């Protein structure tokens, strides 16, 4: 996708086993790239949200495991690196999926070839992610085109958090249908939830929509229900960090409330994910999906630019007040109209049938 007219990915090889990333903590105010070479740098990039979004977290972790193997290719080192990377962001299942895939790839390789094999596998996965997200976009664009035809007018879509290209290697999940539909000439407008506490909607989603020339408006998180009540939202599309085999979906905190509002007002509610985000071992998302709790400072403080354009952090909460920071919530399958995957669109109960040739754990 584009930044200032330049095509970019979120992560790319930089030579000598290193990769470079866009440091997303500084967007939309600064475009800064960072070079990652050591395992600790990959772990920190994931935990501190230099990279974020389930698909991108998984690819970054795969490269991180490759970096660890350059130092020590032993089975013990593989296990230790996987443990460190998994602990960085526990909710996104793509992280575990990516590490398992790299581990299977390197298992038969001699130690001296393991790092190269792991890096090659991570690069292959990155390219596959781009293609997968493009296919999600094509499937979702057909859905949006059909909705627009039934409406006989411009389409208004609402999204929560950032599930655009910045959350993947390229194209995105929830926003991929928007980009493909816009590419095909569909007139649409996107309502962008600000997404407290880190404001990924106001900062990242609005940034990338603006860079791609897509019409959009930032709203406060609590405005979505009001807009749905007044017929100003035609469809909701969000991403997810983990989906159970029964169709429960964990996504950024506040997604559940949007699903409730959509259900009450008859607005279709879709979740866009690649198959790597489906956790086939789980059936009850509310009981089994781990919910990450982050530093309360993300709630009590906010980062922005001052009048001179300098980045600054300010306190917005009453001093001395405790702050809870639950990063995700779970939307039950009963509130989800359908899933948009690289294989097509299906109802929650049809995931297994749609993906019948995907390896599913017993």
């Amino acid at each position: 996708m584009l930044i200032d007219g330049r095509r970019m990915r979120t992560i790319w090889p930089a030579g000598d086993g290193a990769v470079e990333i866009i440091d997303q903590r500084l967007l939309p105010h600064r475009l800064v790239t960072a070079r990652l070479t050591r395992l600790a740098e990959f772990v920190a990039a994931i935990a501190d949200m230099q990279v974020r979004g389930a698909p991108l977290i998984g690819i970054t972790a795969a490269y991180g495991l490759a970096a660890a193997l350059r130092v020590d290719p032993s089975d013990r080192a593989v296990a230790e690196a996987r443990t460190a990377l998994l602990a960085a962001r526990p909710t996104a299942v793509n992280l575990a999926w990516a590490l398992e895939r790299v581990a299977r790839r390197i298992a038969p390789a001699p130690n001296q070839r393991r790092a190269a094999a792991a890096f090659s596998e991570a690069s292959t996965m990155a390219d596959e992610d781009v293609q997968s997200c493009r296919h999600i976009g094509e499937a979702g664009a057909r859905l949006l085109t059909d909705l627009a035809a039934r409406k006989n007018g411009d389409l208004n879509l609402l999204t929560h958090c950032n599930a655009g290209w910045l959350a993947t290697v390229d194209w995105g999940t929830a926003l991929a249908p928007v980009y493909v539909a816009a590419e095909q000439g569909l007139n649409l407008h996107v309502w962008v939830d600000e997404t407290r506490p880190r404001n990924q909607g106001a900062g990242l989603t609005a940034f990338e929509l603006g860079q791609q020339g897509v019409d959009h408006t930032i709203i406060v998180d609590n405005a979505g229900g009001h807009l749905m009540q007044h017929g100003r939202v035609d469809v909701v599309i969000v991403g997810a960090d983990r989906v159970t085999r029964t169709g429960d979906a964990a996504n950024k905190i506040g997604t559940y409330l949007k699903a409730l509002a959509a259900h009450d007002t008859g607005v279709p509610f879709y979740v866009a994910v690649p198959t790597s985000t489906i956790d086939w071992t789980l059936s009850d998302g509310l009981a089994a999906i781990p919910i990450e709790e982050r530093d309360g400072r993300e709630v009590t403080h906010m980062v922005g630019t001052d009048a001179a354009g300098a980045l600054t952090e300010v306190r917005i909460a009453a001093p001395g007040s405790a702050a809870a920071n639950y990063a995700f919530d779970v939307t039950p399958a009963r509130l989800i109209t359908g899933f948009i995957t690289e294989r097509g669109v299906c109802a929650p109960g049809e995931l297994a049938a749609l993906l019948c040739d995907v390896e599913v754990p017993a």
Side-chain angles (χ1 to χ4, degrees):
M1 304 303 284
L2 300 175
I3 295 183
D4 295 330
R6 172 189 172 194
R7 295 197 175 276
M8 295 190 72
R9 288 185 173 185
T10 54
I11 188 168
W12 59 92
D16 298 324
V19 299
E20 290 187 359
I21 60 170
I22 297 174
D23 188 341
Q24 298 189 31
R25 299 171 304 176
L26 303 177
L27 290 175
H29 312 293
R30 304 277 190 277
L31 175 60
V32 175
T33 62
R35 184 181 177 92
L36 308 179
T37 59
R38 298 181 296 110
L39 173 63
E41 294 171 341
F42 285 89
V43 172
I46 295 169
D48 297 341
M49 296 180 73
Q50 286 179 283
V51 295
R52 20 76 52 215
L56 178 56
I57 287 171
I59 299 302
T60 305
Y63 279 120
L65 183 54
L69 295 176
R70 294 183 69 214
V71 178
D72 183 350
S74 67
D75 289 343
R76 176 186 57 80
V78 171
E80 291 177 353
R82 290 178 68 176
T83 297
L85 288 161
L86 283 168
R89 296 293 307 275
T91 300
V93 75
N94 300 65
L95 203 162
W97 167 85
L99 293 174
E100 175 62 26
R101 176 165 160 176
V102 173
R104 288 200 306 266
R105 171 71 172 80
I106 66 171
N111 280 6
Q112 66 270 23
R113 297 183 59 186
R114 280 185 161 186
F119 194 91
S120 174
E121 187 70 5
S123 296
T124 297
M125 293 163 65
D127 290 338
E128 289 175 357
D129 183 71
V130 176
Q131 292 302 313
S132 175
C133 289
R134 172 71 196 197
H135 292 322
I136 289 172
E138 291 167 348
R142 290 191 291 271
L143 176 69
L144 296 181
T145 299
D146 289 344
L147 288 172
R150 291 201 294 271
K151 182 185 179 184
N152 194 27
D154 295 351
L155 203 66
N156 285 292
L157 179 149
L158 185 143
T159 192
H160 187 69
C161 195
N162 173 258
W165 76 273
L166 291 170
T168 66
V169 179
D170 205 351
W171 284 102
T173 55
L175 290 187
V178 171
Y179 294 138
V180 174
E183 186 181 78
Q184 294 171 351
L186 183 66
N187 290 324
L188 50 80
H189 166 266
V190 181
W191 296 108
V192 180
D193 284 351
E194 60 180 342
T195 322
R196 288 276 294 142
R198 292 186 65 97
N199 300 309
Q200 295 105 317
L204 301 179
T205 296
F207 171 76
E208 59 174 90
L209 288 171
Q211 291 289 324
Q212 314 316 311
V214 176
D215 186 32
H216 64 282
T217 304
I218 299 168
I219 58 173
V220 298
D221 286 349
N222 293 325
H226 167 77
L227 292 171
M228 292 183 215
Q229 285 179 323
H230 290 271
R232 302 186 66 186
V233 177
D234 300 305
V235 61
V236 179
I237 303 182
V238 300
D241 287 72
R242 189 183 300 228
V243 174
T244 68
R245 65 174 181 266
T246 55
D248 297 339
N251 192 48
K252 184 58 60 182
I253 193 76
T255 302
Y256 172 52
L257 296 179
K258 293 303 184 304
L260 285 171
H263 185 265
D264 186 57
T265 56
V267 174
F269 184 96
Y270 288 91
V271 178
V273 291
T275 56
S276 57
T277 300
I278 301 172
D279 187 341
W280 297 102
T281 69
L282 301 183
S283 60
D284 187 340
L286 191 61
I289 294 177
I291 300 299
E292 177 185 3
E293 295 184 43
R294 296 183 60 83
D295 191 340
R297 189 177 181 88
E298 293 180 348
V299 175
T300 60
H301 291 69
M302 188 176 292
V303 175
T305 55
D306 61 20
L311 281 173
T312 185
E313 182 183 75
V314 297
R315 172 185 284 274
I316 61 171
S321 296
N325 187 9
Y326 302 100
F328 303 93
D329 58 25
V330 176
T331 298
R334 64 181 176 83
L335 298 178
I336 298 172
T337 306
F339 285 88
I340 308 170
T341 78
E342 70 269 36
R343 304 297 186 88
V345 181
C346 70
E350 298 171 347
L351 279 172
L354 180 71
L355 311 173
C356 59
D357 59 339
V358 174
E359 182 179 349
V360 179

